[in-house]
Amino acid sequence: MANLKEIRNRISSVSSTMQITSAMKMVSAAKLKKAQDAITAMRPYSNKLTELLQNLSATLDADSGSKFANQREINNVLIVAITSNRGLCGAFNSNIIKEVNALMGDTYADKNVSVLAIGKKANDAFSKTGNVIANKSEVFDDLTFDNVAEIAEMIMDKFIHAEFDKVELVYNSFKNAATQVIMTEQFLPIVPVESDASNNSDYIFEPSKQEIVETLIPKSLKTQLFKGIRDSFASEHGARMTAMHKATDNATELRDQLKLTYNKARQAAITNEILEIVGGAEALNN
């Protein structure tokens, strides 16, 4: 059995760890509320804009000039991997890395696959293989629509110039504080909705359809990427809050076990001392 000093040191160490994890849990809980409100408010707008975009794409003819709906033979694929800049959030980052590796090894095994890393964890994981074309981890330092729009414009430009034939987004979608759902969305080319004669949306185009394509589609794509990053940002805080909650509970349980062990060892030591004193006194009397 470990001596009392070693047990006291372990109790002190576990108590310090418990204070750190508890503080991180409270910080993540405070940040989660703001991030959750932001993504909840944004989703209806983003979903409706995407619906309009898909319906519009379904009405475009071949010579409409939609550069973002151009279906080409898929040879070069870009995967936008959205992770976090920091760890201590459970399987949040590793799930994204596994999903991207699965896409590389299975779905696009015979294609040239590149990765655009949004988050240091994605960059660290894929830079070793040489697949990362850019690292945009700094976007989390100031997460605004304008900063995300610059990244979306870069992706759209590469697609227009045929550097990539398909672009996929991989990120964690926020469901609740304890649950994040891995999402794989096709970013480019735009996927038009299937034509359904019984459910055709009737649009009056003003100004021309060409002008709407040039303004609505880029805006929708920027919004889609911003929503994905916002979703991941909220999911990160939820995952970290849950992970730190579990870590605090585990540290509390371990501390209680160590205290019980310490009390038993201390009681045994006191009993031994009493027995030695009694034994010594008996020896003197005899």
Side-chain angles (χ1 to χ4, degrees), residues 53 56-72 159-160 188-192 209-210 212-214 217-218 221:
L53 171 62
L56 176 60
S57 299
T59 67
L60 298 175
D61 51 33
D63 57 352
S64 62
S66 175
K67 302 172 288 187
F68 304 109
N70 188 11
Q71 302 283 342
R72 299 189 290 261
F159 179 80
I160 291 172
L188 288 169
I190 296 166
V191 183
K209 184 185 297 186
Q210 178 69 26
I212 293 176
V213 168
E214 292 176 354
I217 290 181
L221 291 171

Side-chain angles (χ1 to χ4, degrees), residues 99-137:
E99 181 67 17
V100 174
N101 283 329
L103 289 173
M104 288 180 175
D106 299 330
T107 308
Y108 303 117
D110 57 341
K111 313 297 181 184
N112 298 319
V113 182
S114 300
V115 175
L116 173 62
I118 300 179
K120 291 180 181 178
K121 295 301 179 180
N123 182 64
D124 293 344
F126 299 110
S127 58
K128 300 174 183 177
T129 62
N131 295 93
V132 178
I133 63 167
N135 177 21
K136 297 297 182 180
S137 304

Side-chain angles (χ1 to χ4, degrees), residues 12-53:
S12 177
S13 176
V14 171
S15 297
S16 298
T17 301
M18 186 177 65
Q19 290 176 350
I20 293 171
T21 56
S22 179
M24 292 182 67
K25 171 192 170 184
M26 290 187 290
V27 170
S28 293
K31 292 182 177 180
L32 172 63
K33 181 63 171 66
K34 183 178 179 181
Q36 181 178 354
D37 290 344
I39 188 60
T40 302
M42 182 181 179
R43 273 178 181 164
Y45 171 77
S46 176
N47 292 339
K48 188 61 180 178
L49 190 59
T50 300
E51 178 187 339
L52 289 172
L53 171 62

Side-chain angles (χ1 to χ4, degrees), residues 75-258:
N75 294 313
N76 301 304
V77 179
L78 176 64
I79 298 177
V80 181
I82 305 175
T83 61
S84 66
N85 287 340
R86 298 184 298 129
L88 297 176
C89 46
F92 175 83
N93 293 310
S94 61
N95 286 340
I96 296 298
I97 294 169
K98 288 177 183 177
E99 181 67 17
V100 174
N101 283 329
L103 289 173
M104 288 180 175
D106 299 330
T107 308
Y108 303 117
D110 57 341
K111 313 297 181 184
N112 298 319
V113 182
S114 300
V115 175
L116 173 62
I118 300 179
K120 291 180 181 178
K121 295 301 179 180
N123 182 64
D124 293 344
F126 299 110
S127 58
K128 300 174 183 177
T129 62
N131 295 93
V132 178
I133 63 167
N135 177 21
K136 297 297 182 180
S137 304
E138 69 279 358
V139 73
F140 289 111
D141 297 333
D142 186 17
L143 186 53
T144 62
F145 180 82
D146 290 338
N147 290 336
V148 174
E150 293 179 4
I151 301 174
E153 288 171 358
M154 180 191 74
I155 297 172
M156 289 186 286
D157 185 66
K158 290 182 179 296
F159 179 80
I160 291 172
H161 290 88
E163 293 185 36
F164 298 104
D165 306 308
K166 189 175 183 180
V167 181
E168 298 263 27
L169 302 182
V170 181
Y171 64 95
N172 281 291
S173 177
F174 179 82
K175 185 175 181 180
N176 54 53
T179 307
Q180 299 82 40
V181 181
I182 299 176
M183 299 292 293
T184 301
E185 291 181 357
Q186 181 170 321
F187 188 66
L188 288 169
I190 296 166
V191 183
V193 294
E194 295 182 2
S195 180
D196 185 355
S198 63
N199 187 27
N200 281 333
S201 300
D202 187 16
Y203 293 106
I204 299 175
F205 297 102
E206 178 64 34
S208 67
K209 184 185 297 186
Q210 178 69 26
E211 292 182 61
I212 293 176
V213 168
E214 292 176 354
T215 55
L216 179 62
I217 290 181
K219 183 175 182 180
S220 176
L221 291 171
K222 293 173 184 177
T223 302
Q224 182 182 355
L225 180 59
F226 186 53
K227 181 185 75 72
I229 296 177
R230 274 285 187 192
D231 242 334
S232 180
F233 189 64
S235 298
E236 175 193 350
H237 291 305
R240 181 170 292 110
M241 185 186 75
T242 302
M244 291 302 99
H245 176 73
K246 291 180 180 178
T248 302
D249 288 347
N250 291 337
T252 302
E253 182 180 353
L254 179 57
R255 184 195 60 181
D256 293 342
Q257 291 175 352
L258 287 171

